[in-house]
Amino acid sequence: MDFLRGMDKIGEEKPVKRDRLWAMKKLREMQVREVTVNYSGGNDSGGVEDILVVYEDDTRPEETWEEPNIASRYNPETHKYEKEREMTEDEWLREVLCQEVYNTYGGFAGEYNVDGKFIWDVRENTIENSGEEEVTQCSSYHSIDTLNNGNEDE
């Protein structure tokens, strides 16, 4: 009966791995030349500002996309936050484009400020991160006050 193995899976779609390679492929299919994901933040706050899209066809105007914002709720059974609805393919694409920022800077926690951009060059198949980062300098200090039996006059 080995010939029946896997028959129950016929018609099931294989889950799509939505990663950087998937995003580049989608951008190529959309005839996008370049995507710039602008971001800024630091000191526990920050995120993506906007996503600028340039198409291969120079007569087609540039577009500005926004980071997807799908509401989520905590599921006490799975102990995870789950999106309230399925994301569309366009939302998934924007999510993957923005994820580069959060993979690099997390929640922007730390003593720094950053202002930069990720450039997805579809022709060259590259992702470049550039910008300015300012790190707050911290210095150590230590002091000891010696008190003479509680009497300042001594």
Side-chain angles (χ1 to χ4, degrees):
M1 293 281 197
D2 276 344
F3 67 91
L4 292 178
R5 185 175 303 151
M7 293 295 285
D8 59 333
K9 305 243 189 277
I10 292 177
E12 286 185 19
E13 287 190 38
K14 197 175 186 183
V16 175
K17 184 176 181 183
R18 293 180 176 95
D19 58 10
R20 295 158 39 136
L21 295 174
W22 172 84
M24 278 291 190
K25 181 180 177 189
K26 290 294 281 183
L27 293 170
R28 259 188 225 91
E29 290 171 2
M30 297 170 64
Q31 298 181 342
V32 171
R33 178 186 326 146
E34 183 179 282
V35 174
T36 302
V37 180
N38 294 299
Y39 62 89
S40 65
N43 297 307
D44 301 333
S45 176
V48 172
E49 294 175 357
D50 57 24
I51 306 165
L52 303 175
V53 181
V54 178
Y55 291 92
E56 288 288 355
D57 181 357
D58 291 330
T59 62
R60 188 170 177 183
E62 293 181 8
E63 291 182 3
T64 302
W65 297 347
E66 293 181 5
E67 181 176 9
N69 187 11
I70 310 300
S72 60
R73 292 184 184 196
Y74 182 74
N75 182 336
E77 293 176 14
T78 62
H79 304 288
K80 294 180 181 178
Y81 282 91
E82 299 172 355
K83 298 201 182 298
E84 292 184 356
R85 65 169 175 80
E86 289 293 318
M87 291 173 60
T88 66
E89 284 293 296
D90 288 341
E91 289 168 332
W92 270 115
L93 177 58
R94 290 183 281 142
E95 178 81 10
V96 172
L97 294 171
C98 294
Q99 197 58 46
E100 289 297 314
V101 174
Y102 302 110
N103 288 345
T104 304
Y105 296 102
F108 290 88
E111 300 299 320
Y112 67 90
N113 287 304
V114 64
D115 187 13
K117 57 189 169 189
F118 275 95
I119 299 172
W120 293 65
D121 187 329
V122 180
R123 288 179 177 171
E124 297 296 322
N125 204 39
T126 60
I127 304 169
E128 176 186 342
N129 183 18
S130 64
E132 294 184 11
E133 186 173 304
E134 177 185 341
V135 179
T136 305
Q137 291 287 40
C138 295
S139 58
S140 297
Y141 63 90
H142 182 84
S143 67
I144 297 175
D145 289 336
T146 303
L147 304 177
N148 295 321
N149 296 326
N151 188 348
E152 296 260 342
D153 294 335
E154 289 184 16

